[in-house]
Amino acid sequence: MKKEELEELLRDCPVLYHMAELGSWPSIQRHGLLSTSALLDLFAVSGSRRTAIEARRRPENVAVEHPKLGRAVIRDQKPMDDAGLLRCLQDGLTPEDWYKLLNDRVFMWLTRDRLHRLLTARPYRTLEHDVLELDAAPLVAAHWAQITLSPINSGATKPFPRDRGKDTFLSIADYPYAHWRGKRKAGERAVELAVTGGIPDVGPFVRRVIRMRGEEIVTVLYSR
């Protein structure tokens, strides 16, 4: 991606959206917006329990606890399953490989429309969630080296499993923006922005945190 292409992407998508578990904002304020793997490191989860969380599909939310840190909830992976991954994975990747790739990253949508699609998906539409709205440009500047972009929803295989492989997550420099610019409207030229390891210094990038049910804003938890 060229400099002017990134500038266009950030003009089209100035706000990033992260859908977090209900009640997770206080923990995010304390520890940052961490990937599943980084959270497991922080909470000292190891052995077979860690493998079950990090390298297997999570059909339901999983809670982890620490005597000093308290409790955190790791989200389920209901929109994805092994059968779908086996149909679409390329480059010799296994479902276990894919779960590990996902769990090493924190994901954000580049448009409100994409956020709403997830919020209104069947497993989540009746539930409340803490949604973070983040300023895209300063976050990209601060975490450039850890950021990857994806042209698909990498955490879903339903209703149709789109092909994915080692080149699904590409650095900003390597992302083929011009290719997708010729095929998609503004806002859809990259679908996900992910930060490897997470964003421990997330606070300065957060413009608002809202509690949502479907497309409804239930309450505002934080506003800068």
Side-chain angles (χ1 to χ4, degrees):
M1 184 187 298
K2 299 176 181 177
K3 179 177 181 290
E4 57 269 25
E5 292 173 337
L6 177 60
E7 291 173 350
E8 180 179 88
L9 177 65
L10 293 174
R11 284 196 304 271
D12 292 338
C13 306
V15 180
L16 303 172
Y17 302 90
H18 176 82
M19 186 175 112
E21 180 62 22
L22 175 69
S24 61
W25 172 233
S27 178
I28 293 170
Q29 283 182 295
R30 288 194 301 272
H31 307 301
L33 184 58
L34 302 180
S35 69
T36 294
S37 295
L39 189 65
L40 294 175
D41 287 342
L42 180 66
F43 277 68
V45 179
S46 60
S48 60
R49 176 161 169 75
R50 179 166 184 139
T51 299
I53 296 171
E54 193 175 39
R56 305 283 185 271
R57 177 180 182 263
R58 295 187 297 274
E60 302 293 341
N61 289 346
V62 177
V64 293
E65 296 184 355
H66 188 279
K68 294 182 179 179
L69 302 176
R71 185 175 184 269
V73 176
I74 299 170
R75 295 191 64 92
D76 66 74
Q77 295 170 315
K78 288 179 179 176
M80 179 172 54
D81 58 30
D82 287 14
L85 287 175
L86 288 171
R87 290 171 57 194
C88 67
L89 283 175
Q90 301 176 330
D91 305 321
L93 294 174
T94 65
E96 179 177 335
D97 295 328
W98 196 252
Y99 294 127
K100 288 181 177 179
L101 283 171
L102 297 183
N103 286 322
D104 197 33
R105 292 168 165 81
V106 161
F107 290 87
M108 284 151 282
W109 302 114
L110 281 84
T111 66
R112 187 179 297 273
D113 178 65
R114 283 282 178 174
L115 168 70
H116 287 173
R117 290 191 208 182
L118 184 59
L119 285 166
T120 58
R122 184 172 297 175
Y124 308 124
R125 63 181 62 164
T126 62
L127 305 176
E128 294 185 2
H129 310 270
D130 290 358
V131 174
L132 279 68
E133 299 177 345
L134 304 105
D135 290 318
L139 190 150
V140 168
H143 291 276
W144 174 279
Q146 290 77 44
I147 288 174
T148 56
L149 297 170
S150 167
I152 66 168
N153 179 350
S154 60
T157 58
K158 303 171 184 179
F160 177 77
R162 298 191 61 179
D163 289 345
R164 63 205 69 193
K166 293 179 180 178
D167 62 350
T168 297
F169 303 115
L170 292 175
S171 69
I172 294 172
D174 292 336
Y175 191 77
Y177 181 84
H179 169 80
W180 293 113
R181 193 177 191 273
K183 292 178 176 292
R184 295 179 178 176
K185 65 181 181 180
E188 289 291 321
R189 293 158 188 167
V191 170
E192 297 172 334
L193 184 149
V195 183
T196 302
I199 313 168
D201 58 339
V202 71
F205 310 116
V206 179
R207 59 165 58 184
R208 193 168 67 149
V209 182
I210 51 180
R211 184 154 294 165
M212 299 188 68
R213 183 192 303 110
E215 296 185 18
E216 173 194 2
I217 297 177
V218 177
T219 188
V220 177
L221 301 173
Y222 167 81
S223 182
R224 189 175 60 212

